[in-house]
Amino acid sequence: MSNATEVFGPEFTQLALPAGTVTVFLEGIPCDDLEPVELVCAGAPEFSWARLVSTASDVEKALQRYVMGRTLILRQPYNGSAPESVIDSVPVFVGHIDEVQTRIDAQGSVVEVIAKDFSAALERTTVHGQRVSSSDGATVFLAGLDTIFNPEGQANAAPSPAFQPDAGQAVPWGCAEAIHYLLSEYVLPSHLHCPGLGQLRALTDGRLLRDLNVTGLSLLDALDRCCQVAGLRFQFVPRHTETGPGQAIVFYRNGAGRSVELNRQGTGQPLNLSRTNLASLH
């Protein structure tokens, strides 16, 4: 006698919804004349970006619409209320138009749009100066100073994320405090959702900085320098919410996530959704 139970499931060879089906939104309005051809979701150094091709017949009008900096969102539709049929969608990419290229091929003029996540905005932001705490509790930004955390191992932080010129009252900069300072100083809360100081302290395990000079670096590189000390990485992800910023910066420790086992069919076999977890085969 055996307690083993054999379960036989049907084999599926077709998707209920094609894997490549996404809806493109430009400034919150559906854009039918942009077709995604490539999407990369990653952290440093590449970060996330999307390449789209315009199908508009009027190239001049299309170029007037694809303005640098405009918000572009790719949303994946799905059935939001099974077994009934209610169409809903989830954002798979949120970014801004960073490049617009025009080329000529056998079909005529082709317009390509490159959109990048919030990393592009941080790459164009230069770190400089210090926000210094004063005796009355206020702060003032001094642009002429170098942005150095704990120079030569000497503490120069205030209890709040700011610099403290009085060595007698200064405390050392931790990785969490430096990351929080950089994000608070250069990024508006309405543009990017950032973790709180408590979350950052838990992730960095209280790791301290020593003589870290980020003057003249891009904000993206400055954050990366702080994260390297704590063994962290970060990336930008879409937020599944209707209010607030469309993107969030997520910090994580490499290799600390859960393990995932994927089923993969052998080369040359027909696609069978019962035997593979992969979304695409090359």
Side-chain angles (χ1 to χ4, degrees):
M1 182 176 179
S2 174
N3 291 327
T5 302
E6 294 184 352
V7 178
F8 297 93
E11 291 192 354
F12 297 96
T13 58
Q14 293 184 349
L15 290 169
L17 186 69
T21 299
V22 294
T23 304
V24 180
F25 290 83
L26 185 62
E27 291 293 324
I29 301 174
C31 184
D32 297 333
D33 56 6
L34 275 179
E35 178 181 333
V37 294
E38 190 172 4
L39 173 61
V40 174
C41 297
E46 190 174 19
F47 292 100
S48 299
W49 57 274
R51 182 165 64 92
L52 305 95
V53 173
S54 173
T55 58
S57 57
D58 192 328
V59 175
E60 294 300 326
K61 286 187 177 180
L63 291 174
Q64 293 176 7
R65 295 180 60 205
Y66 311 146
V67 179
M68 301 279 287
R70 301 193 76 181
T71 302
L72 192 145
I73 303 175
L74 304 183
R75 301 186 70 93
Q76 170 76 53
Y78 69 96
N79 188 355
S81 183
E84 291 79 12
S85 180
V86 177
I87 300 299
D88 205 340
S89 64
V90 59
V92 295
F93 174 81
V94 177
H96 296 85
I97 296 178
D98 192 73
E99 298 178 37
V100 180
Q101 304 172 352
T102 305
R103 56 182 173 83
I104 305 295
D105 62 10
Q107 307 299 323
S109 297
V110 178
V111 178
E112 285 191 351
V113 174
I114 305 295
K116 297 183 179 181
D117 64 14
F118 206 79
S119 63
L122 301 192
E123 182 68 33
R124 290 189 288 264
T125 303
T126 301
V127 176
H128 66 288
Q130 295 182 11
R131 181 162 295 280
V132 178
S133 177
S134 60
S135 57
D136 59 0
T139 61
V140 58
F141 186 78
L142 302 179
L145 300 180
D146 290 337
T147 311
I148 308 178
F149 300 105
N150 300 334
E152 299 181 354
Q154 301 299 314
N156 66 335
S160 61
F163 286 87
Q164 175 56 262
D166 186 351
Q169 301 182 24
V171 296
W173 282 99
C175 294
E177 288 75 15
I179 293 172
H180 188 262
Y181 167 82
L182 291 171
L183 291 173
S184 301
E185 184 63 37
Y186 295 99
V187 180
L188 293 175
S190 59
H191 291 174
L192 182 69
H193 181 79
C194 303
L197 185 55
Q199 292 176 291
L200 291 172
R201 284 172 174 166
L203 282 171
T204 57
D205 295 329
R207 188 73 59 88
L208 298 179
L209 297 174
R210 178 180 175 82
D211 201 25
L212 182 61
N213 188 348
V214 295
T215 308
L217 296 180
S218 70
L219 180 54
L220 196 66
D221 289 338
L223 289 172
D224 186 58
R225 292 281 186 90
C226 295
C227 287
Q228 286 179 15
V229 176
L232 296 181
R233 301 185 67 180
F234 64 94
Q235 68 180 94
F236 303 89
V237 298
R239 296 186 69 217
H240 301 178
T241 177
E242 298 297 330
T243 59
Q247 298 181 68
I249 183 171
V250 176
F251 295 87
Y252 61 95
R253 192 173 300 279
N254 196 29
R258 63 187 180 91
S259 299
V260 177
E261 181 178 336
L262 295 177
N263 298 322
R264 182 182 68 85
Q265 293 179 250
T267 303
Q269 295 183 3
L271 178 63
N272 189 320
L273 300 184
S274 302
R275 299 178 181 177
T276 183
N277 299 115
L278 303 184
S280 62
L281 298 176
H282 300 279

